[in-house]
Amino acid sequence: MEEAEAFLSRAVALGPDDPMAHIPLSGLGQVALIRGDAAGALEFTTRSMALSTRFDAVWWVRIGALVALGRMEAAREALGRLRALTPGVTLARIRAGQPRQDPARIAPLLEGLRAAGLPED
């Protein structure tokens, strides 16, 4: 986890004006969420979304963070935005797109998405 955080932080530092900086910012949000820092995850997703709201993975992290913070109305609203961006999104499809990842890496996202109302299939 520390290595991923270091690489993502370096990417952000090296390319603060990079039009793709939303990706490592989203990754840093995921690291924060995995560590149990939902407020930090929300902050990183806000920074990522200031650059692009079209990256579906940032919504996964944001929803997980909102659920962890007990902000269910905001989480459901964010889920609606995700579903508009990615019609047909389900927990199974997200899980299938992460086959080589450590299950612990995706678990907080899936738990948050499930709690917000994303269907399994």
Short mmCIF file of all heavy atoms in Angstrom, two decimals, residues 20 39 48 55:
data_model
loop_
_atom_site.label_atom_id
_atom_site.label_comp_id
_atom_site.label_asym_id
_atom_site.label_seq_id
_atom_site.Cartn_x
_atom_site.Cartn_y
_atom_site.Cartn_z
N MET A 20 -4.61 14.22 -17.06
CA MET A 20 -4.96 12.89 -16.54
C MET A 20 -4.68 12.78 -15.03
O MET A 20 -4.74 11.69 -14.47
CB MET A 20 -4.19 11.81 -17.30
CG MET A 20 -4.46 11.79 -18.80
SD MET A 20 -6.19 11.50 -19.19
CE MET A 20 -6.28 9.75 -18.90
N ALA A 39 -12.65 10.65 5.27
CA ALA A 39 -12.58 12.09 5.00
C ALA A 39 -11.46 12.40 4.01
O ALA A 39 -11.64 13.22 3.10
CB ALA A 39 -12.37 12.85 6.31
N SER A 48 -9.96 15.16 -7.57
CA SER A 48 -10.01 14.44 -8.84
C SER A 48 -11.16 14.94 -9.70
O SER A 48 -11.01 15.19 -10.90
CB SER A 48 -10.15 12.93 -8.58
OG SER A 48 -10.31 12.23 -9.78
N PHE A 55 -14.65 9.87 -14.91
CA PHE A 55 -13.86 8.69 -14.55
C PHE A 55 -14.68 7.89 -13.54
O PHE A 55 -14.83 8.29 -12.38
CB PHE A 55 -12.52 9.13 -13.97
CG PHE A 55 -11.57 8.03 -13.61
CD1 PHE A 55 -11.32 6.98 -14.49
CD2 PHE A 55 -10.91 8.05 -12.40
CE1 PHE A 55 -10.43 5.96 -14.15
CE2 PHE A 55 -10.02 7.05 -12.06
CZ PHE A 55 -9.79 6.00 -12.94
#
